[in-house]
Amino acid sequence: NPIFQRELSLLNVPARGTARTTTSHHLCDDIIAKMTSSSSFSFLFLEDHEDVVAVVQNCSLLCVSLPNAYERKTRGTVWMTTHALCFEPKNDSDEDDKEPGSRTTRTRTSALAQVFGESPGGTKRSERVEGKEAKIVKIKYEDAIGPSIDTSRVERNAVDISTAKAVLICGNERREIVRDETIVWRITMEEEEDGEESIEQRLRTPANKLLNISKQKNRQTKCEQLAFLSRQREGNLRFDEKNLRVKGETSRFDAPAAKISPLVRRAGRVRVTDAHLYFQPLIVRDSKAKKNIANWVALKDVVAVARRRYASRPVAVEVFYEVSDDDDVSNKSKSTMMRGSSVLFAFRSESAREAVIEALLKNEIDESKTETTTLSRFLDPTNVEAISKVTNAWKIGDVSNFEYLMYLNALSGRSFHDVAQYFVFPWILKEYGGENDSNNGFDSDKHSSNSANIDVSDASVYRDLSKPIGALNPERLKYFQERMKHMEDMQKRNQHSQKPFLYGTHYSAPGYVLFYLLRCAPKHNLKLQNGSFDKPDRLFKSISETWSSCLNNNADLKELIPEFYIPECSRKFLRNNLKLNLGHRASAPHSKIDDVVLPQWAKNDPVRFTSINRKALESEITSVHLHEWIDLIFGVFQNDCKNKMNSLHPLTYEGEINVDDAASIDEQMSLETQINEFGQTPKRIFGDVHAKRRREAWRRWKDDGAVGAKRKTNRKSQSMISQLEYENLGTTTEDNDDDDNDDEDEMVTPIPVDIRASVIDTIRLVSRRADDYLFVGDDDEEDAATNGIEALKLNDSPSRRAASPSNNMLERSFSDAHGIDTSLDKQIESVVLGNFRAPKPSDGDGADGSHVVKKWSRRTHNGAVTALECFADSNVAYSTGSDGFVRIIDIKNGHTIRAVPASSSTITNLAVLRQSVVASDARRLPIALYSTSNGNLFAYNGEYGSVDRVSLTNLTPITAIKVPSMSTEQGRAVTSHANGAIALRDIEKRVEVSVFGTNEFSGDGANDVLIDPQCHIIVSAHDSGVVKAFDTRSSALKSVWKQSVASRRNIAARSIAFAPLGDGLGDALGFIVAVDDSGQCCALETRMRGRIVAAADTTTTSSFANALVSANTSLRVNVDGEKNIVLSGFAQNVFRVGKEAGVLRDENDFRDLELRDEHDDDEKKKHNSSSERIFTAACFKTGSDRDVFVGAANGEVSAYAHRSSHIE
């Protein structure tokens, strides 16, 4: 088509079948041992606009033109397409060729077998290959000699077709053309009941019809006739009711559609019922199948629906689904739509698309569809409110840079199913060890380009995200600008009707995507290149050379794909695991192309390379500028030539062209081909300049993707990546989507399904906390912002009000504290923190501060100790156990003073009131509150031995109990519950004063709770990884702020503690210290919406390595008398001691504090610990500056002290 050729010449894109097909090379023979079903027919073998018409089984093929050489028949299947007859040989069909008990097949001696079985070089394949690797024969109608396919005069139920050439296809090898003056092929079909009419009706008549169309000299007529037949054939398909999985399902939608996968369009029919979504393919491999030919997915598993474009037409829809883990997808009775997280359908019209969306989201009885509708709104680019919530979550750090880019790609219509609209990611780094990398040819600063290491905190190694790829090189940009000026001049003179554009090459196109994925998707590359790979010098062989080309080549402006930031799939696309023979470079004939050459700082390790890329993506430098790149790709500057030098070919933008308005079918097909090959620009999402990310938001993700960083495991625990996992990461060469033969070409991406589905995880996270993201200000706004909790004051005394007229404590510096009465703060501090002080690493007396030594130990319970609380004024401690006993212990020697069998259930939580009674021996014994596993709350009077139930209602099991520290508020207590509720209770009246968070339950269980000394503020930690704050004086029962403190998604916030801010400034309520299940510790400002001011991993620098965190332990955080953070609850007998919350910076601020027996000083005994000595409870408020009490799983209660204060 001359119009098409002219457009391609303007775009600097060679037409398919021209320059790229002049040179080809084959794959090495070893690939046959690596690939399966190499002789199976694939839809990737079809050409553009070529469709499968029918499948004829039980056939045989014989070449009869040279009988002395090609006399042997080969059995198989004929695939009739609109362009050709494809014969698929049946592997191992000839039982005579097999030796009894042998796994290999003897070499065939016939010449036909040699054609089918030889490698392109003429060498027979190794017999180590199981079965004969025969080749597919493709006989094109346009190559046929004669006007028709004739009935064979020699053999019954057979036809003869004469051609001048044929194409041989074998797996991922290049397409080999066999030529001769006349090659006569005989296709014979096995006898059936209808005899000769069978091959006449099933093969000869339809094939002759297609052959006659292919002989048409008028291309327009040919295209129209083929399009009419395809449309008629697809429209005549009816859904087979036998494919319904549930008898009596009600149909909501039924229409023709095509299932879209990379470079493949599978025609069929979509049916939506009240229970399932079905896709029935038009063509199936087994043409005689009576059932199970339809793919399906249950509507209960559909989680979101998104509108998509296909070939620039708004007719497609992507359905996201989640199949539960207990579904055995290998079981045919549980066959799903496909292996993956979504499926893409293209319909005939936009109205059909809207109808199927309505059917999928129709909500009658199934409440799960409510969530589906909610999540679908977050994938609607017109829903500004939903998009802004995700953006706000990203701004404050609840969503990582990687997750946000994945979301924006999905929101803008990108899909892993369409390589013309594949996910696009930016180049982040610019240092890859190339000769031009040090200054990129245009900037003045010098940097060591060949360094074996790279510093991701150095801004000079980062690419400028404010400019598109085409504008990074000023010299090349001048060329583009001059060319555009020439176009404008031609347009003014009416010599050119096309809109001027700056770049004739897109940053994301099928050729670029498959360029990167060559080593894991060779079949798709062969289809794109008309059966052969591109020239070796143009293949993806080096990161440095690719980056250099993107900077200097006028026809190369490609960005990256998400695979470059995912360590799990790095070895699949950066290493030649399939041992493909990719040829040799012309400049270096002895240099074979194999694995991708990585920068020196990657140390030839793909996992390290992608991990560093991911770390750079999540860095502070990228976070500061990422919004600028978003504006270029998804926002206001995606077509701004004047300000941002960013303008692509008009056909790539949405709405610039309507394919349906083409004057003819031929022109329409040409436009579709051009659009699909050149790529499509994402849908514009933002109408204004994108907001900046908050300054500290990046800290939560600074180790994301790094080697050794924490990886998501389960909800309750998270462990460090092991060396074995690191070595095996991404090494498998199996397909992610291991479908049946019909669906073998579903995906090209090696990204694991769970990462592809992370978009749904992101929007589900945001949707469940939507109220938190209604408004998030920028850094400047946040610094001046206040909310309800900021106005809460610990002390309303006249002296404090006089010293601080503004009543805004956080606006005053520490130096302003002079003259403020701090007596109340000190009183509160001593109660909140207690007197325990963790020993310093090196005390002045020369004692070792790395451990404390046991003073005494007593077997107190017949089960695990579940809780410990001390009352130092009376020298007693309270302990509870799984045996149902509450015991009062003398803290000097561990002897039991009182004991009561308080419950037949396990006692789970304990709190001690400061109010007490006076015993006969003048010992003051406080009242204790405790809860049982069945959710009841009791009060135990230690003096009289009485137990009273104080909870009259049951809000599900209690997870924590806390009481205010001020004696004036000792009538109150607060409890957290497994359903997320927080209850403020009046103990004396036995009533619940308030229940907070009732509108925020959603299964977000509360794990810990705090209440300030004056009973004004309640803070809680939840399963979702969120810390919430409530105001007890407010009539609103919703949280006044929330903050996510978890290191990763699905990690729970486990424990919280108050930490002082500084003398005279509300010590006891300055910070909240929180720890999650992975061991990450965060410090939050209480009055500033819970803003995270510090975060550090508490386990990285431990000498106990990865054994610290276990699924069977529960981490607890405390603050000692010197305001240092102390963590307990590890799998080892060790505490982790950190600095003050206000000065905490990183993991190096934490150290080990080991709990040893008195005689365990030998180094060889240092790490000895038995399972019985696993500590299950700890108490630090002991009255002694060196004592700490711990309870163990074997029922022991022990006291430990620093050696310098050890009392015999």
Side-chain angles (χ1 to χ4, degrees), residues 200-303:
E200 180 71 23
Q201 295 178 353
R202 297 182 59 187
L203 195 150
R204 182 175 178 272
T205 299
N208 271 330
K209 188 173 183 178
L210 294 169
L211 187 148
N212 292 331
I213 294 176
S214 69
K215 295 293 184 179
Q216 292 276 357
K217 294 182 180 181
N218 188 311
R219 176 184 171 88
Q220 171 67 23
T221 303
K222 183 195 302 185
C223 292
E224 289 179 352
Q225 291 180 356
L226 289 177
F228 173 79
L229 291 177
S230 295
R231 191 175 184 88
Q232 183 185 54
R233 188 169 56 254
E234 295 173 12
N236 290 338
L237 176 67
R238 292 294 177 263
F239 187 83
D240 189 349
E241 301 295 328
K242 296 179 181 179
N243 288 318
L244 293 177
R245 296 190 52 78
V246 179
K247 189 176 182 179
E249 290 185 57
T250 303
S251 177
R252 294 178 178 175
F253 175 85
D254 192 334
K259 184 179 175 183
I260 307 301
S261 56
L263 301 183
V264 173
R265 178 185 180 275
R266 292 288 304 273
R269 197 168 189 89
V270 166
R271 164 79 67 93
V272 180
T273 69
D274 53 356
H276 294 89
L277 164 65
Y278 296 93
F279 175 71
Q280 180 177 298
L282 176 64
I283 299 297
V284 293
R285 180 172 297 274
D286 185 1
S287 60
K288 297 182 180 181
K290 300 301 182 184
K291 57 181 180 179
N292 290 335
I293 63 171
N295 307 123
W296 58 270
V297 62
L299 288 190
K300 66 179 180 62
D301 295 328
V302 173
V303 294

Side-chain angles (χ1 to χ4, degrees), residues 157-174:
N157 210 25
V159 295
D160 292 341
I161 179 171
S162 300
T163 63
K165 61 182 180 181
V167 181
L168 303 183
I169 306 171
C170 186
N172 290 330
E173 295 194 23
R174 69 177 178 87

Side-chain angles (χ1 to χ4, degrees), residues 1168-1188:
N1168 286 349
S1169 63
S1170 65
S1171 60
E1172 293 184 348
R1173 295 295 305 282
I1174 297 299
F1175 295 149
T1176 55
C1179 180
F1180 297 88
K1181 303 172 189 176
T1182 59
S1184 168
D1185 62 353
R1186 297 302 173 102
D1187 287 359
V1188 59

Side-chain angles (χ1 to χ4, degrees), residues 706-773:
V707 176
K710 288 183 170 56
R711 302 171 62 224
K712 181 176 69 175
T713 54
N714 55 51
R715 188 177 184 82
K716 294 298 182 184
S717 67
Q718 177 176 278
S719 60
M720 300 285 284
I721 178 173
S722 69
Q723 182 65 24
L724 180 61
E725 289 176 313
Y726 166 68
E727 292 173 353
N728 293 331
L729 198 60
T731 56
T732 177
T733 59
E734 296 179 0
D735 292 336
N736 290 308
D737 306 303
D738 193 13
D739 303 300
D740 295 334
N741 289 333
D742 277 356
D743 296 327
E744 63 182 358
D745 306 312
E746 288 290 356
M747 302 298 292
V748 296
T749 178
I751 300 177
V753 171
D754 59 333
I755 298 180
R756 276 186 266 153
S758 64
V759 172
I760 298 300
D761 295 336
T762 300
I763 59 179
R764 181 180 282 123
L765 169 73
V766 174
S767 67
R768 289 178 176 176
R769 298 175 52 196
D771 291 343
D772 297 351
Y773 308 121

Side-chain angles (χ1 to χ4, degrees), residues 72 86 93 106 157 207 272-273 303 320 322 339 368 379 381 393 666 678 702 709 737 799 863 986 1040 1050 1066 1145 1203:
R72 191 183 182 96
C86 297
S93 61
R106 294 201 305 266
N157 210 25
V272 180
T273 69
V303 294
F320 296 85
E322 295 175 347
R339 295 286 187 90
S368 66
L379 290 172
D666 185 23
F678 184 69
K702 64 179 181 178
D737 306 303
S799 61
D986 188 312
V1040 292
N1050 296 330
R1145 290 297 175 263
R1203 183 176 292 278

